[in-house]
Amino acid sequence: MCNCIFCKIIAGEIPSAKVYEDDKVLAIKDINPQAPVHVLVMPKKHMSSLLAMDSSNAEDVTAVMSAITKIAADMGISEENGMRVINNCGPDGAQSVMHLHFHLLAGRKLGETIV
Ligand code: DGP
C-alpha cells in the first residue's frame, strides 16, 4: 500500500481541489497557496522526484510539462503576464512531499528571490 499523500489524492482517497486531469497528470490547488494562483502539477505514476526520472517515466514527466502549458493557457496566463514554475527536489531543495510535482505560481508580480 503506497503511503504517499499525493498518490492518495490521485486515487481519490483524500479530497483536493482539482484543476486539471488527464490519463497521466493531475493538477490540484496547493493547500497553502503562496500566490493567487498556486497549482501543483504531478504525474499520476509515482516517482519520488526529478532525480528519479529515467526511461520508464520520462513520458510522464513530459506529459506534466505539456499539462503546465495547457493549465496556464486555461487560466489566462500568457507571455504578457507570465508565471513561475518551481520544482523542489530532495532535502537540499526543500522538497516536503516525495512525489514529483511542479508548483505553478501566478496571478501577481512575484519577487526575484528564489532561495
Ligand atoms: P514541496 O515542498 O515542493 O514538496 O511542496 C509540497 C506542497 O504540497 C506544499 O506547498 C503544500 C502542498 N500540500 C501538502 N499536502 C497537501 C494536501 O494534502 N493537499 C494539497 N492540495 N496540497 C498539499
Side-chain angles (χ1 to χ4, degrees):
M1 180 61 129
C2 183
N3 205 30
C4 166
I5 193 161
F6 286 175
C7 282
K8 288 182 178 167
I9 287 173
I10 290 160
E13 293 165 15
I14 293 176
S16 67
K18 196 186 297 180
V19 171
Y20 173 87
E21 183 171 22
D22 65 29
D23 58 330
K24 287 190 161 55
V25 179
L26 179 70
I28 60 172
K29 290 187 183 175
D30 194 289
I31 204 166
N32 182 24
Q34 305 296 310
V37 173
H38 189 167
V39 176
L40 303 172
V41 192
M42 65 193 76
K44 287 185 172 176
K45 184 195 265 188
H46 181 85
M47 55 187 287
S48 55
S49 80
L50 210 47
L51 291 170
M53 182 179 170
D54 60 22
S55 57
S56 74
N57 53 34
E59 253 185 57
D60 299 270
V61 179
T62 304
V64 169
M65 292 297 132
S66 296
I68 288 171
T69 307
K70 281 183 207 154
I71 294 161
D74 287 350
M75 293 188 146
I77 299 167
S78 68
E79 290 186 89
E80 298 300 313
N81 46 18
M83 64 180 175
R84 179 171 293 157
V85 177
I86 294 175
N87 172 243
N88 295 327
C89 193
D92 283 359
Q95 182 177 2
S96 62
V97 178
M98 294 308 292
H99 181 124
L100 175 67
H101 57 281
F102 293 82
H103 298 253
L104 189 169
L105 298 149
R108 68 169 164 81
K109 180 99 177 138
L110 299 167
E112 290 181 5
T113 308
I114 57 163
V115 291

